[in-house]
Amino acid sequence: MFRRGDRKLEVIRPYLDAAERAGRSEVVAIGEAREFRWVFDATEKDGPDGVPWFGFYRTERLVTCYYFYLHDRRVGPAFIKVCAYAPYPVKVWCL
């Protein structure tokens, strides 16, 4: 749904405005974006006795993020962002 360089709120704003005019609480849009996020990765090495040894570290990767845009009659516009890669961060934001 979102393309590179899009301002997500500008793309979604017409849907949020329509839900506000209708006075309904609803999910107005679900969007998908590819973004760079900090994630966990692992390396595998053989130990001196032949037993595998794993090392974990944080790194930046291009991952898929899902945005759920909502409109609530009392709270107003909001979104929930879920990244589809470990550690699966979630952000809830009331605009």
mmCIF file of all heavy atoms in Angstrom, residues 18-63:
data_model
loop_
_atom_site.group_PDB
_atom_site.id
_atom_site.type_symbol
_atom_site.label_atom_id
_atom_site.label_comp_id
_atom_site.label_asym_id
_atom_site.label_seq_id
_atom_site.Cartn_x
_atom_site.Cartn_y
_atom_site.Cartn_z
ATOM 1 N N ALA A 18 -12.988 10.623 6.540
ATOM 2 C CA ALA A 18 -14.305 10.063 6.224
ATOM 3 C C ALA A 18 -14.906 9.362 7.441
ATOM 4 O O ALA A 18 -16.106 9.494 7.711
ATOM 5 C CB ALA A 18 -14.191 9.083 5.057
ATOM 6 N N ALA A 19 -14.090 8.639 8.209
ATOM 7 C CA ALA A 19 -14.587 7.964 9.410
ATOM 8 C C ALA A 19 -15.001 8.979 10.465
ATOM 9 O O ALA A 19 -15.999 8.795 11.168
ATOM 10 C CB ALA A 19 -13.522 7.026 9.970
ATOM 11 N N GLU A 20 -14.269 10.091 10.565
ATOM 12 C CA GLU A 20 -14.619 11.137 11.529
ATOM 13 C C GLU A 20 -15.938 11.805 11.148
ATOM 14 O O GLU A 20 -16.788 12.044 11.992
ATOM 15 C CB GLU A 20 -13.499 12.170 11.613
ATOM 16 C CG GLU A 20 -13.738 13.207 12.681
ATOM 17 C CD GLU A 20 -12.554 14.142 12.843
ATOM 18 O OE1 GLU A 20 -11.555 14.006 12.111
ATOM 19 O OE2 GLU A 20 -12.640 15.014 13.714
ATOM 20 N N ARG A 21 -16.111 12.098 9.863
ATOM 21 C CA ARG A 21 -17.376 12.704 9.412
ATOM 22 C C ARG A 21 -18.563 11.783 9.651
ATOM 23 O O ARG A 21 -19.648 12.235 9.997
ATOM 24 C CB ARG A 21 -17.287 13.059 7.927
ATOM 25 C CG ARG A 21 -16.503 14.328 7.637
ATOM 26 C CD ARG A 21 -16.683 14.775 6.198
ATOM 27 N NE ARG A 21 -16.309 13.761 5.223
ATOM 28 C CZ ARG A 21 -15.089 13.573 4.749
ATOM 29 N NH1 ARG A 21 -14.090 14.333 5.158
ATOM 30 N NH2 ARG A 21 -14.832 12.633 3.853
ATOM 31 N N ALA A 22 -18.338 10.471 9.483
ATOM 32 C CA ALA A 22 -19.425 9.503 9.695
ATOM 33 C C ALA A 22 -19.683 9.267 11.177
ATOM 34 O O ALA A 22 -20.738 8.739 11.536
ATOM 35 C CB ALA A 22 -19.077 8.187 9.007
ATOM 36 N N GLY A 23 -18.747 9.640 12.033
ATOM 37 C CA GLY A 23 -18.932 9.483 13.466
ATOM 38 C C GLY A 23 -18.850 8.042 13.935
ATOM 39 O O GLY A 23 -19.426 7.674 14.950
ATOM 40 N N ARG A 24 -18.107 7.212 13.201
ATOM 41 C CA ARG A 24 -18.005 5.789 13.535
ATOM 42 C C ARG A 24 -16.643 5.464 14.135
ATOM 43 O O ARG A 24 -15.646 6.107 13.814
ATOM 44 C CB ARG A 24 -18.195 4.939 12.282
ATOM 45 C CG ARG A 24 -19.565 5.029 11.676
ATOM 46 C CD ARG A 24 -19.735 4.009 10.572
ATOM 47 N NE ARG A 24 -18.686 4.073 9.565
ATOM 48 C CZ ARG A 24 -18.861 4.546 8.331
ATOM 49 N NH1 ARG A 24 -20.029 5.004 7.959
ATOM 50 N NH2 ARG A 24 -17.860 4.556 7.467
ATOM 51 N N SER A 25 -16.619 4.429 14.969
ATOM 52 C CA SER A 25 -15.363 3.843 15.436
ATOM 53 C C SER A 25 -15.092 2.641 14.549
ATOM 54 O O SER A 25 -15.936 1.738 14.456
ATOM 55 C CB SER A 25 -15.486 3.394 16.892
ATOM 56 O OG SER A 25 -15.656 4.508 17.732
ATOM 57 N N GLU A 26 -13.949 2.645 13.873
ATOM 58 C CA GLU A 26 -13.681 1.564 12.930
ATOM 59 C C GLU A 26 -12.209 1.515 12.556
ATOM 60 O O GLU A 26 -11.454 2.453 12.797
ATOM 61 C CB GLU A 26 -14.510 1.740 11.665
ATOM 62 C CG GLU A 26 -14.203 3.021 10.911
ATOM 63 C CD GLU A 26 -15.128 3.250 9.715
ATOM 64 O OE1 GLU A 26 -15.959 2.385 9.429
ATOM 65 O OE2 GLU A 26 -14.993 4.290 9.083
ATOM 66 N N VAL A 27 -11.825 0.391 11.961
ATOM 67 C CA VAL A 27 -10.512 0.271 11.321
ATOM 68 C C VAL A 27 -10.678 0.886 9.936
ATOM 69 O O VAL A 27 -11.505 0.440 9.153
ATOM 70 C CB VAL A 27 -10.079 -1.205 11.198
ATOM 71 C CG1 VAL A 27 -8.774 -1.316 10.426
ATOM 72 C CG2 VAL A 27 -9.941 -1.833 12.572
ATOM 73 N N VAL A 28 -9.916 1.926 9.650
ATOM 74 C CA VAL A 28 -10.111 2.622 8.371
ATOM 75 C C VAL A 28 -9.187 2.104 7.272
ATOM 76 O O VAL A 28 -9.520 2.218 6.097
ATOM 77 C CB VAL A 28 -9.946 4.155 8.517
ATOM 78 C CG1 VAL A 28 -11.012 4.713 9.433
ATOM 79 C CG2 VAL A 28 -8.584 4.529 9.015
ATOM 80 N N ALA A 29 -8.033 1.536 7.653
ATOM 81 C CA ALA A 29 -7.109 1.026 6.634
ATOM 82 C C ALA A 29 -6.071 0.126 7.291
ATOM 83 O O ALA A 29 -5.748 0.282 8.467
ATOM 84 C CB ALA A 29 -6.417 2.164 5.911
ATOM 85 N N ILE A 30 -5.574 -0.801 6.498
ATOM 86 C CA ILE A 30 -4.444 -1.633 6.911
ATOM 87 C C ILE A 30 -3.381 -1.471 5.835
ATOM 88 O O ILE A 30 -3.643 -1.691 4.655
ATOM 89 C CB ILE A 30 -4.849 -3.113 7.040
ATOM 90 C CG1 ILE A 30 -5.945 -3.258 8.103
ATOM 91 C CG2 ILE A 30 -3.635 -3.968 7.393
ATOM 92 C CD1 ILE A 30 -6.531 -4.646 8.209
ATOM 93 N N GLY A 31 -2.199 -1.039 6.247
ATOM 94 C CA GLY A 31 -1.126 -0.782 5.290
ATOM 95 C C GLY A 31 0.087 -1.649 5.563
ATOM 96 O O GLY A 31 0.284 -2.149 6.667
ATOM 97 N N GLU A 32 0.900 -1.796 4.535
ATOM 98 C CA GLU A 32 2.127 -2.586 4.624
ATOM 99 C C GLU A 32 3.274 -1.739 4.098
ATOM 100 O O GLU A 32 3.149 -1.075 3.070
ATOM 101 C CB GLU A 32 1.974 -3.841 3.778
ATOM 102 C CG GLU A 32 3.184 -4.714 3.732
ATOM 103 C CD GLU A 32 2.970 -5.913 2.814
ATOM 104 O OE1 GLU A 32 1.828 -6.221 2.450
ATOM 105 O OE2 GLU A 32 3.990 -6.516 2.446
ATOM 106 N N ALA A 33 4.396 -1.771 4.817
ATOM 107 C CA ALA A 33 5.564 -0.997 4.391
ATOM 108 C C ALA A 33 6.828 -1.791 4.695
ATOM 109 O O ALA A 33 6.866 -2.572 5.641
ATOM 110 C CB ALA A 33 5.603 0.347 5.122
ATOM 111 N N ARG A 34 7.855 -1.594 3.892
ATOM 112 C CA ARG A 34 9.171 -2.181 4.141
ATOM 113 C C ARG A 34 10.036 -1.091 4.752
ATOM 114 O O ARG A 34 10.206 -0.028 4.163
ATOM 115 C CB ARG A 34 9.793 -2.683 2.840
ATOM 116 C CG ARG A 34 8.977 -3.720 2.106
ATOM 117 C CD ARG A 34 9.204 -5.110 2.591
ATOM 118 N NE ARG A 34 10.555 -5.510 2.238
ATOM 119 C CZ ARG A 34 11.185 -6.523 2.810
ATOM 120 N NH1 ARG A 34 10.609 -7.221 3.729
ATOM 121 N NH2 ARG A 34 12.418 -6.830 2.449
ATOM 122 N N GLU A 35 10.559 -1.361 5.950
ATOM 123 C CA GLU A 35 11.339 -0.360 6.673
ATOM 124 C C GLU A 35 12.570 -1.002 7.290
ATOM 125 O O GLU A 35 12.565 -2.189 7.594
ATOM 126 C CB GLU A 35 10.491 0.251 7.798
ATOM 127 C CG GLU A 35 9.231 0.927 7.332
ATOM 128 C CD GLU A 35 8.392 1.426 8.488
ATOM 129 O OE1 GLU A 35 8.793 1.239 9.657
ATOM 130 O OE2 GLU A 35 7.329 2.002 8.226
ATOM 131 N N PHE A 36 13.597 -0.192 7.504
ATOM 132 C CA PHE A 36 14.772 -0.660 8.229
ATOM 133 C C PHE A 36 14.476 -0.583 9.715
ATOM 134 O O PHE A 36 14.040 0.457 10.219
ATOM 135 C CB PHE A 36 16.003 0.180 7.891
ATOM 136 C CG PHE A 36 16.606 -0.187 6.573
ATOM 137 C CD1 PHE A 36 16.331 0.550 5.437
ATOM 138 C CD2 PHE A 36 17.422 -1.301 6.469
ATOM 139 C CE1 PHE A 36 16.881 0.195 4.221
ATOM 140 C CE2 PHE A 36 17.978 -1.663 5.255
ATOM 141 C CZ PHE A 36 17.709 -0.912 4.133
ATOM 142 N N ARG A 37 14.685 -1.697 10.417
ATOM 143 C CA ARG A 37 14.450 -1.785 11.856
ATOM 144 C C ARG A 37 15.579 -2.581 12.498
ATOM 145 O O ARG A 37 16.219 -3.415 11.869
ATOM 146 C CB ARG A 37 13.126 -2.503 12.166
ATOM 147 C CG ARG A 37 11.926 -1.763 11.742
ATOM 148 C CD ARG A 37 11.684 -0.591 12.676
ATOM 149 N NE ARG A 37 10.872 0.393 11.997
ATOM 150 C CZ ARG A 37 11.029 1.685 12.109
ATOM 151 N NH1 ARG A 37 11.945 2.177 12.878
ATOM 152 N NH2 ARG A 37 10.263 2.516 11.469
ATOM 153 N N TRP A 38 15.795 -2.318 13.794
ATOM 154 C CA TRP A 38 16.759 -3.093 14.563
ATOM 155 C C TRP A 38 16.120 -4.426 14.907
ATOM 156 O O TRP A 38 15.021 -4.491 15.446
ATOM 157 C CB TRP A 38 17.155 -2.355 15.843
ATOM 158 C CG TRP A 38 18.075 -1.223 15.575
ATOM 159 C CD1 TRP A 38 17.749 0.092 15.506
ATOM 160 C CD2 TRP A 38 19.468 -1.301 15.313
ATOM 161 N NE1 TRP A 38 18.860 0.843 15.218
ATOM 162 C CE2 TRP A 38 19.935 0.004 15.098
ATOM 163 C CE3 TRP A 38 20.370 -2.353 15.244
ATOM 164 C CZ2 TRP A 38 21.258 0.280 14.815
ATOM 165 C CZ3 TRP A 38 21.696 -2.067 14.959
ATOM 166 C CH2 TRP A 38 22.131 -0.763 14.752
ATOM 167 N N VAL A 39 16.831 -5.510 14.575
ATOM 168 C CA VAL A 39 16.335 -6.866 14.814
ATOM 169 C C VAL A 39 17.469 -7.718 15.391
ATOM 170 O O VAL A 39 18.618 -7.288 15.443
ATOM 171 C CB VAL A 39 15.805 -7.511 13.517
ATOM 172 C CG1 VAL A 39 14.639 -6.725 12.946
ATOM 173 C CG2 VAL A 39 16.906 -7.640 12.480
ATOM 174 N N PHE A 40 17.127 -8.934 15.807
ATOM 175 C CA PHE A 40 18.131 -9.871 16.287
ATOM 176 C C PHE A 40 18.554 -10.798 15.153
ATOM 177 O O PHE A 40 17.754 -11.186 14.321
ATOM 178 C CB PHE A 40 17.584 -10.718 17.439
ATOM 179 C CG PHE A 40 17.415 -9.949 18.709
ATOM 180 C CD1 PHE A 40 16.159 -9.770 19.256
ATOM 181 C CD2 PHE A 40 18.501 -9.410 19.357
ATOM 182 C CE1 PHE A 40 15.998 -9.064 20.427
ATOM 183 C CE2 PHE A 40 18.351 -8.697 20.528
ATOM 184 C CZ PHE A 40 17.095 -8.526 21.065
ATOM 185 N N ASP A 41 19.831 -11.155 15.138
ATOM 186 C CA ASP A 41 20.364 -12.121 14.191
ATOM 187 C C ASP A 41 21.315 -13.035 14.956
ATOM 188 O O ASP A 41 21.678 -12.747 16.099
ATOM 189 C CB ASP A 41 21.090 -11.409 13.047
ATOM 190 C CG ASP A 41 21.136 -12.250 11.787
ATOM 191 O OD1 ASP A 41 20.782 -13.442 11.844
ATOM 192 O OD2 ASP A 41 21.527 -11.715 10.741
ATOM 193 N N ALA A 42 21.707 -14.127 14.345
ATOM 194 C CA ALA A 42 22.557 -15.094 15.041
ATOM 195 C C ALA A 42 23.641 -15.621 14.113
ATOM 196 O O ALA A 42 23.485 -15.645 12.900
ATOM 197 C CB ALA A 42 21.707 -16.254 15.554
ATOM 198 N N THR A 43 24.736 -16.042 14.721
ATOM 199 C CA THR A 43 25.801 -16.735 14.002
ATOM 200 C C THR A 43 26.029 -18.073 14.699
ATOM 201 O O THR A 43 25.812 -18.207 15.901
ATOM 202 C CB THR A 43 27.115 -15.936 14.002
ATOM 203 O OG1 THR A 43 27.511 -15.699 15.355
ATOM 204 C CG2 THR A 43 26.967 -14.624 13.277
ATOM 205 N N GLU A 44 26.467 -19.048 13.936
ATOM 206 C CA GLU A 44 26.770 -20.372 14.493
ATOM 207 C C GLU A 44 28.234 -20.687 14.254
ATOM 208 O O GLU A 44 28.731 -20.546 13.132
ATOM 209 C CB GLU A 44 25.893 -21.434 13.836
ATOM 210 C CG GLU A 44 26.168 -22.822 14.342
ATOM 211 C CD GLU A 44 25.351 -23.877 13.627
ATOM 212 O OE1 GLU A 44 24.540 -23.539 12.754
ATOM 213 O OE2 GLU A 44 25.554 -25.057 13.937
ATOM 214 N N LYS A 45 28.916 -21.095 15.310
ATOM 215 C CA LYS A 45 30.319 -21.498 15.211
ATOM 216 C C LYS A 45 30.480 -22.827 15.933
ATOM 217 O O LYS A 45 29.733 -23.138 16.854
ATOM 218 C CB LYS A 45 31.227 -20.452 15.872
ATOM 219 C CG LYS A 45 31.185 -19.090 15.232
ATOM 220 C CD LYS A 45 32.094 -18.124 15.962
ATOM 221 C CE LYS A 45 31.974 -16.741 15.350
ATOM 222 N NZ LYS A 45 32.773 -15.763 16.073
ATOM 223 N N ASP A 46 31.452 -23.583 15.523
ATOM 224 C CA ASP A 46 31.764 -24.819 16.231
ATOM 225 C C ASP A 46 32.720 -24.516 17.370
ATOM 226 O O ASP A 46 33.745 -23.848 17.182
ATOM 227 C CB ASP A 46 32.397 -25.852 15.296
ATOM 228 C CG ASP A 46 31.376 -26.430 14.329
ATOM 229 O OD1 ASP A 46 30.185 -26.474 14.706
ATOM 230 O OD2 ASP A 46 31.759 -26.825 13.216
ATOM 231 N N GLY A 47 32.377 -25.016 18.562
ATOM 232 C CA GLY A 47 33.247 -24.857 19.722
ATOM 233 C C GLY A 47 34.444 -25.778 19.622
ATOM 234 O O GLY A 47 34.548 -26.609 18.712
ATOM 235 N N PRO A 48 35.380 -25.671 20.545
ATOM 236 C CA PRO A 48 36.594 -26.500 20.498
ATOM 237 C C PRO A 48 36.293 -27.996 20.600
ATOM 238 O O PRO A 48 37.042 -28.820 20.083
ATOM 239 C CB PRO A 48 37.422 -26.027 21.691
ATOM 240 C CG PRO A 48 36.520 -25.179 22.503
ATOM 241 C CD PRO A 48 35.372 -24.759 21.653
ATOM 242 N N ASP A 49 35.166 -28.349 21.233
ATOM 243 C CA ASP A 49 34.816 -29.765 21.370
ATOM 244 C C ASP A 49 33.824 -30.223 20.305
ATOM 245 O O ASP A 49 33.273 -31.313 20.384
ATOM 246 C CB ASP A 49 34.256 -30.026 22.765
ATOM 247 C CG ASP A 49 33.083 -29.112 23.087
ATOM 248 O OD1 ASP A 49 32.743 -28.249 22.259
ATOM 249 O OD2 ASP A 49 32.501 -29.277 24.175
ATOM 250 N N GLY A 50 33.597 -29.399 19.286
ATOM 251 C CA GLY A 50 32.705 -29.762 18.196
ATOM 252 C C GLY A 50 31.231 -29.444 18.441
ATOM 253 O O GLY A 50 30.399 -29.670 17.579
ATOM 254 N N VAL A 51 30.919 -28.944 19.624
ATOM 255 C CA VAL A 51 29.536 -28.582 19.945
ATOM 256 C C VAL A 51 29.246 -27.210 19.343
ATOM 257 O O VAL A 51 30.049 -26.289 19.488
ATOM 258 C CB VAL A 51 29.322 -28.552 21.479
ATOM 259 C CG1 VAL A 51 27.921 -28.092 21.823
ATOM 260 C CG2 VAL A 51 29.603 -29.923 22.072
ATOM 261 N N PRO A 52 28.117 -27.061 18.653
ATOM 262 C CA PRO A 52 27.812 -25.750 18.062
ATOM 263 C C PRO A 52 27.643 -24.667 19.128
ATOM 264 O O PRO A 52 27.116 -24.911 20.210
ATOM 265 C CB PRO A 52 26.492 -25.969 17.321
ATOM 266 C CG PRO A 52 26.179 -27.410 17.391
ATOM 267 C CD PRO A 52 27.093 -28.042 18.366
ATOM 268 N N TRP A 53 28.078 -23.481 18.791
ATOM 269 C CA TRP A 53 27.978 -22.326 19.666
ATOM 270 C C TRP A 53 27.272 -21.226 18.884
ATOM 271 O O TRP A 53 27.613 -20.955 17.737
ATOM 272 C CB TRP A 53 29.378 -21.877 20.086
ATOM 273 C CG TRP A 53 29.413 -20.658 20.923
ATOM 274 C CD1 TRP A 53 29.224 -20.577 22.260
ATOM 275 C CD2 TRP A 53 29.665 -19.324 20.476
ATOM 276 N NE1 TRP A 53 29.338 -19.286 22.691
ATOM 277 C CE2 TRP A 53 29.604 -18.493 21.602
ATOM 278 C CE3 TRP A 53 29.923 -18.752 19.235
ATOM 279 C CZ2 TRP A 53 29.788 -17.124 21.517
ATOM 280 C CZ3 TRP A 53 30.099 -17.381 19.169
ATOM 281 C CH2 TRP A 53 30.042 -16.593 20.302
ATOM 282 N N PHE A 54 26.269 -20.607 19.495
ATOM 283 C CA PHE A 54 25.502 -19.565 18.823
ATOM 284 C C PHE A 54 25.787 -18.220 19.474
ATOM 285 O O PHE A 54 25.846 -18.111 20.696
ATOM 286 C CB PHE A 54 23.992 -19.850 18.912
ATOM 287 C CG PHE A 54 23.583 -21.076 18.164
ATOM 288 C CD1 PHE A 54 23.485 -22.300 18.806
ATOM 289 C CD2 PHE A 54 23.301 -21.017 16.812
ATOM 290 C CE1 PHE A 54 23.118 -23.441 18.125
ATOM 291 C CE2 PHE A 54 22.933 -22.146 16.111
ATOM 292 C CZ PHE A 54 22.840 -23.361 16.774
ATOM 293 N N GLY A 55 25.953 -17.213 18.656
ATOM 294 C CA GLY A 55 26.112 -15.846 19.128
ATOM 295 C C GLY A 55 24.984 -14.997 18.567
ATOM 296 O O GLY A 55 24.648 -15.089 17.387
ATOM 297 N N PHE A 56 24.353 -14.218 19.425
ATOM 298 C CA PHE A 56 23.238 -13.366 19.016
ATOM 299 C C PHE A 56 23.657 -11.910 19.077
ATOM 300 O O PHE A 56 24.397 -11.497 19.974
ATOM 301 C CB PHE A 56 22.024 -13.599 19.932
ATOM 302 C CG PHE A 56 21.502 -14.996 19.855
ATOM 303 C CD1 PHE A 56 21.930 -15.967 20.739
ATOM 304 C CD2 PHE A 56 20.592 -15.345 18.867
ATOM 305 C CE1 PHE A 56 21.452 -17.264 20.661
ATOM 306 C CE2 PHE A 56 20.112 -16.636 18.775
ATOM 307 C CZ PHE A 56 20.542 -17.599 19.679
ATOM 308 N N TYR A 57 23.190 -11.126 18.138
ATOM 309 C CA TYR A 57 23.525 -9.709 18.085
ATOM 310 C C TYR A 57 22.379 -8.937 17.434
ATOM 311 O O TYR A 57 21.533 -9.505 16.771
ATOM 312 C CB TYR A 57 24.839 -9.468 17.341
ATOM 313 C CG TYR A 57 24.820 -9.949 15.907
ATOM 314 C CD1 TYR A 57 24.526 -9.064 14.865
ATOM 315 C CD2 TYR A 57 25.081 -11.277 15.581
ATOM 316 C CE1 TYR A 57 24.497 -9.498 13.555
ATOM 317 C CE2 TYR A 57 25.063 -11.716 14.275
ATOM 318 C CZ TYR A 57 24.767 -10.819 13.264
ATOM 319 O OH TYR A 57 24.734 -11.247 11.963
ATOM 320 N N ARG A 58 22.378 -7.621 17.644
ATOM 321 C CA ARG A 58 21.383 -6.748 17.017
ATOM 322 C C ARG A 58 21.972 -6.152 15.751
ATOM 323 O O ARG A 58 23.139 -5.785 15.712
ATOM 324 C CB ARG A 58 20.981 -5.619 17.966
ATOM 325 C CG ARG A 58 20.122 -6.115 19.113
ATOM 326 C CD ARG A 58 19.607 -4.978 19.943
ATOM 327 N NE ARG A 58 18.667 -4.217 19.128
ATOM 328 C CZ ARG A 58 18.215 -3.021 19.436
ATOM 329 N NH1 ARG A 58 18.617 -2.425 20.519
ATOM 330 N NH2 ARG A 58 17.368 -2.403 18.654
ATOM 331 N N THR A 59 21.122 -6.043 14.737
ATOM 332 C CA THR A 59 21.553 -5.454 13.473
ATOM 333 C C THR A 59 20.350 -4.823 12.792
ATOM 334 O O THR A 59 19.215 -5.060 13.200
ATOM 335 C CB THR A 59 22.194 -6.530 12.569
ATOM 336 O OG1 THR A 59 22.721 -5.912 11.406
ATOM 337 C CG2 THR A 59 21.184 -7.581 12.159
ATOM 338 N N GLU A 60 20.589 -4.013 11.792
ATOM 339 C CA GLU A 60 19.499 -3.405 11.026
ATOM 340 C C GLU A 60 19.170 -4.264 9.819
ATOM 341 O O GLU A 60 20.061 -4.704 9.099
ATOM 342 C CB GLU A 60 19.884 -2.003 10.554
ATOM 343 C CG GLU A 60 19.372 -0.918 11.450
ATOM 344 C CD GLU A 60 19.513 0.449 10.801
ATOM 345 O OE1 GLU A 60 20.532 0.683 10.133
ATOM 346 O OE2 GLU A 60 18.600 1.245 10.964
ATOM 347 N N ARG A 61 17.889 -4.493 9.609
ATOM 348 C CA ARG A 61 17.417 -5.257 8.457
ATOM 349 C C ARG A 61 16.196 -4.572 7.865
ATOM 350 O O ARG A 61 15.453 -3.877 8.550
ATOM 351 C CB ARG A 61 17.001 -6.669 8.867
ATOM 352 C CG ARG A 61 18.105 -7.554 9.341
ATOM 353 C CD ARG A 61 18.769 -8.246 8.167
ATOM 354 N NE ARG A 61 19.702 -9.246 8.622
ATOM 355 C CZ ARG A 61 20.997 -9.053 8.780
ATOM 356 N NH1 ARG A 61 21.515 -7.881 8.511
ATOM 357 N NH2 ARG A 61 21.783 -10.022 9.190
ATOM 358 N N LEU A 62 15.963 -4.814 6.591
ATOM 359 C CA LEU A 62 14.760 -4.342 5.917
ATOM 360 C C LEU A 62 13.657 -5.359 6.207
ATOM 361 O O LEU A 62 13.747 -6.513 5.791
ATOM 362 C CB LEU A 62 15.008 -4.217 4.416
ATOM 363 C CG LEU A 62 13.918 -3.571 3.593
ATOM 364 C CD1 LEU A 62 13.683 -2.135 4.022
ATOM 365 C CD2 LEU A 62 14.274 -3.619 2.127
ATOM 366 N N VAL A 63 12.643 -4.945 6.955
ATOM 367 C CA VAL A 63 11.575 -5.861 7.371
ATOM 368 C C VAL A 63 10.216 -5.300 6.956
ATOM 369 O O VAL A 63 10.076 -4.124 6.632
ATOM 370 C CB VAL A 63 11.596 -6.104 8.896
ATOM 371 C CG1 VAL A 63 12.909 -6.710 9.327
ATOM 372 C CG2 VAL A 63 11.319 -4.826 9.665
#
